[in-house]
């Protein structure tokens, strides 16, 4: 299934995408797509619904984050060896974990707001893994049993903020720095998360092309590793790292995002998203 939420901030409604690509309102089936719906029983209940009996959503409404109830936005740094090389950093011996603030989360096509004093705004297409059942000290063999589905994430980064210290959170957790969606695609539609093509364009110019098969640490290993240090709860998301092609790594000079730029990105089977860059309100 492809699950999503639509509507303006604060009035989002649950929906699914039917076989023809149309949105179908799920409000008669569930109030929202939250932790209860992401659990195995919740997803099974939604899967029994006949999409043709659901109201079709007309027009082109705003797409919201495709699920709610997130308690943790976990990110894995330098998880592609060629991205580590372009960043001038060593290949990690174990996953590098950092967190984005929940207030960074936004819809897949919402504007990216460039913060005050930002000078090095960057992009990162990433595979997002959404947790569906509580995971604590799980093994790699058990890891995917705890996944509800997958989605596209743009790990927007302000490099000047990020590299001011050894802690990256400041440059990763600004408002609107975590677009998620357009859909949450349930894991039954993605039999192997390690074979997904990824791409990202800036103003129509291809900047990133990659595949999840080149991750240093795969999805199973990442889930098991994170569950050793924090309990993963339904609605939590893990962004699993980015392939090469970020603005920071462009030679001979880095390329940074500016107000008016458009970033478009996608992953095979998971849809695509697009953000326009705008300056923060200085009023």
């Amino acid at each position: 299934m492809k699950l999503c939420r639509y509507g303006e901030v604060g009035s989002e409604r649950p929906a699914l995408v039917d076989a023809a690509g149309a949105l179908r309102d799920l409000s008669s089936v569930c109030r929202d797509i939250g932790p209860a719906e992401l659990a195995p029983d919740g997803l099974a209940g939604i899967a029994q619904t006949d999409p043709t009996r659901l109201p079709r959503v007309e027009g082109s409404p705003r797409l919201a984050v495709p699920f709610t109830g997130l308690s943790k936005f976990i990110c894995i740094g330098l998880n592609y060896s060629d991205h580590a090389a372009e960043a001038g950093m060593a290949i990690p011996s174990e996953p590098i974990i950092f967190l984005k603030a929940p207030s960074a989360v936004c819809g897949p096509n919402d504007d990216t707001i460039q913060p005050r004093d930002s000078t090095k705004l960057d992009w990162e297409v990433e595979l997002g893994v959404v947790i569906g059942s509580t995971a604590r000290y799980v093994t790699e063999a058990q890891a995917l049993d705890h996944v509800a589905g997958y989605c596209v994430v743009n790990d927007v980064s302000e490099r000047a903020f990020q590299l001011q210290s050894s802690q990256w959170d400041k440059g990763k957790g600004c408002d609107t720095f975590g677009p998620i969606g357009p859909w949450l695609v349930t894991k039954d539609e993605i039999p192997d998360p390690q074979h997904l093509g990824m791409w990202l364009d800036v103003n129509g110019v291809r900047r990133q092309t990659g595949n999840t098969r080149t991750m240093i640490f795969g999805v199973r290993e990442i889930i098991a590793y994170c569950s050793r240090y924090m309990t993963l709860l339904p609605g939590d998301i893990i962004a699993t790292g980015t392939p090469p092609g970020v603005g920071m790594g462009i030679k001979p000079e880095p390329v940074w995002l500016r107000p008016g730029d458009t970033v478009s990105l996608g992953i095979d089977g998971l849809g695509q998203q697009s953000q326009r860059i705008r300056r923060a309100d200085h009023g």
Side-chain angles (χ1 to χ4, degrees):
M1 293 182 293
K2 295 179 174 67
L3 302 177
C4 62
R5 298 165 70 242
Y6 71 97
E8 296 308 309
V9 176
S11 59
E12 296 91 343
R13 297 167 68 92
L16 59 74
V17 181
D18 68 18
L23 286 188
R24 299 281 184 165
D25 188 282
L26 271 173
S27 299
S28 63
V29 178
C30 55
R31 286 188 175 185
D32 211 336
I33 300 172
E37 290 74 27
L38 296 174
D41 288 349
L43 291 177
I46 296 173
Q48 294 174 3
T49 303
D50 180 357
T52 64
R53 295 183 177 274
L54 298 173
R56 181 168 176 155
V57 179
E58 302 297 336
S60 300
R62 169 187 176 266
L63 292 178
V65 179
F67 59 93
T68 188
L70 176 152
S71 75
K72 291 182 284 298
F73 194 149
I74 303 166
C75 299
I76 306 299
L78 302 177
N79 197 29
Y80 291 73
S81 58
D82 32 14
H83 171 55
E86 72 177 354
M89 298 181 181
I91 295 175
S93 58
E94 58 184 88
I96 295 173
I97 296 176
F98 63 92
L99 301 174
K100 280 185 180 283
S103 55
V105 173
C106 64
N109 302 317
D110 292 346
D111 289 349
T112 294
I113 301 172
Q114 183 176 29
R116 298 183 186 184
D117 304 317
S118 164
T119 58
K120 297 180 178 180
L121 191 63
D122 209 345
W123 58 82
E124 294 190 7
V125 58
E126 305 202 6
L127 171 67
V129 180
V130 182
I131 301 300
S133 62
T134 301
R136 182 185 300 111
Y137 295 112
V138 302
T139 65
E140 290 185 33
Q142 299 167 326
L144 296 190
D145 295 340
H146 297 271
V147 173
Y150 305 95
C151 55
V152 181
V153 171
N154 186 358
D155 177 15
V156 183
S157 307
E158 191 357 282
R159 304 298 188 189
F161 299 171
Q162 176 188 352
L163 300 178
Q164 284 174 346
S165 76
S166 61
Q167 306 300 310
W168 294 356
D169 300 44
K170 180 170 63 175
K172 297 282 193 171
C174 301
D175 295 351
T176 73
F177 275 24
I180 299 173
W183 318 310
L184 183 149
V185 181
T186 52
K187 65 182 178 183
D188 57 292
E189 293 200 12
I190 308 294
D192 186 356
Q194 303 302 157
H195 275 281
L196 300 175
M198 317 164 72
W199 59 271
L200 181 145
D201 295 348
V202 178
N203 298 330
V205 177
R206 182 59 46 93
R207 292 299 188 183
Q208 286 187 279
T209 302
N211 194 291
T212 57
R213 66 173 175 266
T214 65
M215 286 182 183
I216 299 169
F217 307 104
V219 171
R220 290 178 181 271
E221 186 173 1
I222 289 169
I223 293 170
Y225 184 86
C226 290
S227 78
R228 290 162 49 187
Y229 301 101
M230 60 194 82
T231 300
L232 305 178
L233 301 173
D236 287 349
I237 186 169
I238 306 173
T240 55
T242 197
V246 300
M248 178 174 62
I250 294 176
K251 304 293 191 294
E253 294 291 335
V255 174
W256 308 116
L257 294 170
R258 300 179 182 278
D261 287 347
T262 298
V263 179
S264 302
L265 57 151
I267 298 177
D268 291 349
L270 303 183
Q272 63 185 65
Q273 53 178 240
S274 181
Q275 300 95 36
R276 183 178 64 89
I277 311 302
R278 67 179 175 89
R279 197 180 309 278
D281 181 7
H282 285 232

